[in-house]
Structures are given as structure tokens and as C-alpha cells.
């Protein structure tokens, strides 16, 4: 990785994100069985090699026949066809449907040679081997033609598509398995702070639980990567150095904490020894200085310690980096226009990301804040389905005004 010249000026969120994303590329491809491919990103276009359906088949339980034979059928002059056989799904009718003949056919069974239409069973009367109908049957009636869903050469899904249940079903119907997907990024997570205790241990006076590691394990997993916790480093050079040593070979290292004034020099010193490190001040709130660079060749994103700041900066910088490594067509979350519905929001020099819950009312998306927005209040993250953006500038955003919001899900999350 190239050295990054330290940036003294405050960066906008876009400038910082551009610099982060410039360091990441799609990872190598691998093959996985389709049934294990949920959430994986296609590394190459998926193209149909066969047709689907592979053969013309019946859409109904009924009778396969020749349309021409039924031309004269009316209630007064019904037409009777001779029942010549049967073809259930999974079988192929051995013969041909001759003039004046009908073959019993079940849904999904191949249309027998000679037949060009299927009449559903409710519309005929059957007595012995006579099938009687009272109206003509059009050519192609109740027949699903071969290749209606996909023809050989049809593009099923582009490289960069995240595979969901629908894509998996489509690829399966064309026999595309294994799927060629990008490798999952391996992301190392290191928390820093003397005050942090692991889950399962009792808290001693002055301690708090490390919640950033569990948060990041969950958020990294949801972003499509494989998280590995490196534990908690104490605010001591040696411990930090030792723990950081374990990050070698990962695709990304996420640290949290150690960027406020007290710890700053320690973390900066240790990181700078072994790599190139830049501390940026990004014009955003929540989110303190953000560290970015490389350590022994591993890209490192140093998130702030406050849980809400860590979550928001992961969302704005960490997740897009992971999506870029996955080769995802959509690296960033969608933004939508919303009507704000909360307390007055005073704008400032830093862009604010306010946790909100979206609801649809009267055909509009309404965004209500999740309560107090201070960066230590993890409860403000809970239930948030979007981050409302209060742009840099002056004035106040009041309830009823339009604003942009970044979805925290790719699909619109509706409130019940
Ligand atoms: P720092 O940036 O290390 O000064 O941390 C800022 C604030 O975030 C302090 O109140 C820390 O106790 C808190 N903090 C740092 N890391 C974590 C963590 N892993 N889990 C929960 N809180 C944290
Ligand atoms: Mg700390």
C-alpha cells in the first residue's frame, strides 16, 4: 500500500470515503454450492446455458389435444376425442397424439408430440375413453413454452449481484451450481481501552463491557464478511503492539477507541511504527477523528470508541470498504427523501447523522428520531432504520421539513 500523506484539513464524508474506497478492490472468486450462496456476491455474470423451462409443459391438469380437432365444438355440437393415454409430471409420453385423440396430462408434464393445446379438466366431461368438450381450444392454450423463463444465453444476474432467495431459485432452475462468488473478506476487530471487560466476566469498579466488538462482529457479518475478534488491547504500547501483530493477513483491521486526546499519541505511535497511518478529522457527527492507513500491509480503519460513533463510522466507511471487496454493485446504502418528525435539529460545521425510524404515512416516508442522540447512548441505535442527514450549514431543521436519510437496510424497512 502506498503512503498516505496526512491530511490536516477537515475532510467531508465523501472525501474520506473516496480515500478509503480507493484502497480496496474486489477479492478473488471462489465457487460455493448454490444452497450456501445466500448473501454472497456474484464474481461473474450468471448466464443461462439451457432453456427454462427445458421443454414445453402443461400449466394445468387436463387433456392434451390438437386444437384443429376442437374447432367446431359448441354446446349444441360437442366434440368427443378418444382418450389415448396419460402423461404425469416427470414422464414423457411415448407416442404421438393423433387426430381425434386426447391424452390425459398433469401439471408440469411435457406436452406430447402432436398436441398443441391443453384443456383443463374442469371444462370437459369424460365417460369411458371419450373426452367431450363444448368449445374450441386455442393453439398454445395452457402450454408453458420452453425457454419462457430463460433462453440459452439469457443474462440471469450480473456480476456484483448479491444473491438472495430469488436469485438462488433462478440460478437453480438453470442448474447453475456451484456459484462463482467473491471470497468473503476476513475482518479483524480490535477494541482498545483499560476500562473494557469481556462478556461473561463480572465488572470491577470503573469497568464497562466492550460492546463495540459484539457490535462490529454483527455488523461485519451482516455486511457479508467474516469477523475475527482480536480481543481488547490495554492502553499500553506493548499490549497494543502485541495485539496488532495478530492482524497480519486479514483483508481489513477495524480498531475502536484510542483516538481521543489521552490515548491518541499512544495509538498513533504504535500504528505509525509499522505502517502508514493518517488521522483524519471528518466533518461528521457522531464521529471523532478517524484513523486510516495500513499496518504490515493490512488496511486499517480506526473507529472512534464511543459506541454510536463506532457504529455510524463503520456504516459510512467500513461497510462500503467491505462491499467494495465483495465486488458488490451497490457499495453504499440507498438514500431516500423523508419528512422529518422530531425535535429541532440545529445544523453546524459537521454533518450530523441522526438515528431515525421510518414509517410510511399518507404516501410519504416519515422519519422520527429515536430519542436522545448522544454518542454514548447505544439505545439511540436500537430500532433505527435510517440515518437522517442534517447537512453542514446554519439554521435548524424542524418537524415537517424534508430531509435525506440513508437507509440502514437495502430494502425499505417498514414500521409495523
Ligand atoms: P476512546 O476513544 O478510547 O477515548 O473512547 C471513547 C469512549 O468510548 C469512552 O467512554 C470509552 O469508554 C468508550 N469505549 C471505547 N471503546 C469501547 C468499547 N469497545 N465498548 C464500549 N465502549 C467503548
Ligand atoms: Mg480508550
Amino acid at each position: 500500500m502506498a503512503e498516505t500523506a496526512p491530511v490536516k484539513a477537515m475532510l467531508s464524508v465523501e472525501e474520506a470515503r473516496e480515500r478509503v474506497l480507493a484502497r480496496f478492490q474486489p477479492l478473488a472468486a471462489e465457487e460455493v454450492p448454490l444452497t450456501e450462496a445466500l448473501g454472497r456476491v456474484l464474481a461473474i455474470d450468471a448466464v443461462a446455458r439451457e432453456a427454462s423451462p427445458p421443454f414445453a409443459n402443461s400449466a394445468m391438469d387436463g387433456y392434451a389435444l390438437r386444437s384443429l380437432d376442437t374447432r367446431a365444438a359448441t354446446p349444441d355440437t360437442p366434440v368427443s376425442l378418444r382418450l389415448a393415454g396419460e402423461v404425469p409430471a416427470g414422464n414423457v409420453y411415448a407416442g404421438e397424439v393423433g387426430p381425434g385423440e386426447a391424452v390425459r396430462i398433469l401439471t408440469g408434464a411435457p406436452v406430447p408430440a402432436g398436441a398443441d393445446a391443453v384443456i383443463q379438466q374442469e371444462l370437459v366431461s369424460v365417460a369411458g375413453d371419450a373426452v367431450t368438450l363444448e368449445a374450441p381450444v386455442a393453439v398454445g392454450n395452457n402450454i408453458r413454452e420452453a425457454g419462457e423463463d430463460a433462453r440459452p444465453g439469457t443474462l440471469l444476474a450480473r456480476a456484483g449481484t448479491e444473491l438472495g432467495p430469488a436469485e438462488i431459485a433462478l440460478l437453480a432452475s438453470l442448474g447453475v451450481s456451484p456459484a462463482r462468488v467473491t471470497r468473503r473478506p476476513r475482518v479483524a476487530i480490535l477494541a482498545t481501552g483499560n476500562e473494557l471487560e469481556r462478556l461473561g466476566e463480572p465488572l470491577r469498579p470503573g469497568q464497562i463491557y466492550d460492546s463495540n466488538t459484539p457490535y462490529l462482529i454483527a455488523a461485519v457479518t451482516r455486511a457479508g464478511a467474516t469477523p475475527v475478534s482480536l480481543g481488547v488491547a490495554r492502553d499500553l504500547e506493548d499490549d497494543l503492539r502485541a495485539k496488532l501483530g495478530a492482524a497480519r493477513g486479514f483483508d481489513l483491521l477495524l480498531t475502536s477507541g484510542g483516538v481521543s486526546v489521552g490515548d491518541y499519541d499512544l495509538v498513533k505511535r504504535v500504528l505509525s511504527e509499522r505502517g502508514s497511518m493518517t488521522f483524519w478529522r471528518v466533518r461528521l457527527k457522531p464521529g471523532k477523528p478517524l484513523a486510516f492507513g495500513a499496518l504490515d500491509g493490512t488496511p486499517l480503519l480506526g473507529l472512534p470508541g464511543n459506541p454510536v460513533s463506532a457504529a455510524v463510522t463503520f456504516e459510512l466507511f467500513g461497510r462500503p470498504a467491505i462491499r467494495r471487496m465483495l465486488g458488490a454493485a451497490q457499495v453504499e446504502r440507498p438514500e431516500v427523501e423523508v419528512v422529518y418528525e422530531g425535535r429541532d435539529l440545529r445544523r453546524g460545521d459537521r454533518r450530523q447523522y441522526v438515528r431515525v425510524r421510518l414509517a410510511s404515512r399518507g404516501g410519504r416516508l416519515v422519519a422520527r428520531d429515536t430519542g436522545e442522540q448522544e454518542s454514548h447512548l447505544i439505545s439511540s441505535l436500537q430500532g433505527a432504520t435510517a440515518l437522517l442527514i442534517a447537512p453542514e450549514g446554519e439554521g435548524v431543521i424542524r418537524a415537517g421539513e424534508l430531509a435525506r436519510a440513508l437507509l440502514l437496510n437495502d430494502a425499505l424497512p417498514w414500521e409495523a
Side-chain angles (χ1 to χ4, degrees):
M1 240 186 224
E3 287 275 325
T4 312
V7 178
K8 291 270 156 45
M10 288 252 264
L11 297 179
S12 70
V13 171
E14 285 73 24
E15 286 166 334
R17 184 155 44 204
E18 231 169 73
R19 284 164 206 241
V20 170
L21 284 179
R23 297 292 198 88
F24 295 92
Q25 279 169 11
L27 301 177
E30 64 183 11
E31 297 197 324
V32 296
L34 200 51
T35 47
E36 290 163 26
L38 180 67
R40 304 297 296 267
V41 176
L42 281 180
I44 53 166
D45 290 348
V47 176
R49 269 181 294 198
E50 323 278 332
S52 178
F55 48 86
N57 66 92
S58 180
M60 291 282 176
D61 291 344
Y63 295 87
L65 47 75
R66 294 167 169 256
S67 164
L68 207 59
D69 289 344
T70 68
R71 240 185 352 177
T74 69
D76 294 334
T77 59
V79 166
S80 286
L81 303 172
R82 188 181 70 81
L83 186 57
E86 185 187 49
V87 58
N91 280 24
V92 175
Y93 189 66
E96 191 170 318
V97 179
E101 285 183 349
V103 165
R104 167 107 177 112
I105 192 166
L106 291 135
T107 305
V111 176
D116 60 10
V118 170
I119 181 80
Q120 53 267 57
Q121 60 191 25
E122 301 81 51
L123 299 182
V124 301
S125 50
V126 182
D129 70 349
V131 179
T132 304
L133 17 73
E134 301 186 340
V137 185
V139 171
N141 192 55
N142 289 325
I143 292 180
R144 305 156 166 172
E145 294 299 341
E148 268 184 0
D149 217 5
R151 294 174 193 292
T154 298
L155 177 63
L156 301 172
R158 283 186 196 289
T161 302
E162 181 174 331
L163 296 175
E167 288 76 24
I168 287 173
L170 183 62
L171 267 54
S173 71
L174 273 304
V176 180
S177 182
R180 212 164 162 70
V181 297
T182 45
R183 170 171 82 68
R184 277 192 201 280
R186 295 182 65 240
V187 178
I189 296 164
L190 179 66
T192 69
N194 287 338
E195 74 280 27
L196 301 179
E197 185 53 274
R198 284 186 299 155
L199 288 178
E201 302 293 328
L203 290 183
R204 284 179 282 114
Q207 288 192 310
I208 59 169
Y209 285 117
D210 165 19
S211 62
N212 286 346
T213 297
Y215 176 87
L216 289 171
I217 287 174
V220 162
T221 302
R222 191 165 269 182
T226 304
V228 176
S229 169
L230 304 182
V232 176
R234 301 297 158 208
D235 296 317
L236 296 165
E237 274 195 48
D238 283 350
D239 196 37
L240 193 56
R241 213 173 266 126
K243 297 270 169 37
L244 286 171
R248 200 185 281 270
F250 281 88
D251 299 301
L252 171 64
L253 167 60
L254 296 173
T255 63
S256 69
V259 288
S260 56
V261 183
D263 309 328
Y264 176 86
D265 287 331
L266 163 78
V267 172
K268 189 178 181 181
R269 189 158 58 239
V270 172
L271 292 180
S272 301
E273 274 169 15
R274 300 239 306 265
S276 56
M277 195 51 49
T278 305
F279 285 79
W280 293 335
R281 295 192 307 147
V282 184
R283 285 200 299 276
L284 98 135
K285 190 179 165 186
K288 277 196 185 168
L290 187 72
F292 184 62
L295 184 79
D296 292 333
T298 299
L300 183 153
L301 193 55
L303 308 175
N306 270 311
V308 174
S309 309
V312 169
T313 49
F314 173 78
E315 190 57 38
L316 296 179
F317 306 105
R319 186 180 179 279
I322 289 172
R323 303 302 291 175
R324 170 62 52 85
M325 285 192 274
L326 284 167
Q330 198 180 344
V331 165
E332 284 163 41
R333 305 271 208 194
E335 261 182 45
V336 292
E337 189 171 76
V338 298
V339 180
Y340 179 57
E341 211 184 55
R343 70 201 73 188
D344 288 359
L345 276 179
R346 181 160 298 285
R347 293 168 61 184
D349 326 334
R350 293 189 288 159
R351 183 184 306 175
Q352 292 166 66
Y353 286 87
V354 180
R355 277 78 68 208
V356 292
R357 202 186 328 267
L358 297 182
S360 167
R361 262 181 235 135
R364 297 210 290 185
L365 275 179
V366 173
R368 170 169 285 285
D369 66 33
T370 54
E372 291 294 335
Q373 295 284 314
E374 283 161 87
S375 60
H376 65 289
L377 296 174
I378 302 177
S379 52
S380 75
L381 285 172
Q382 201 207 357
T385 49
L387 296 172
L388 181 123
I389 302 167
E392 302 91 321
E394 287 171 7
V396 174
I397 298 178
R398 294 193 170 80
E401 291 182 20
L402 290 178
R404 311 273 309 162
L406 187 71
L407 295 183
L408 290 174
N409 278 294
D410 290 337
L412 275 177
W414 301 116
E415 191 182 58

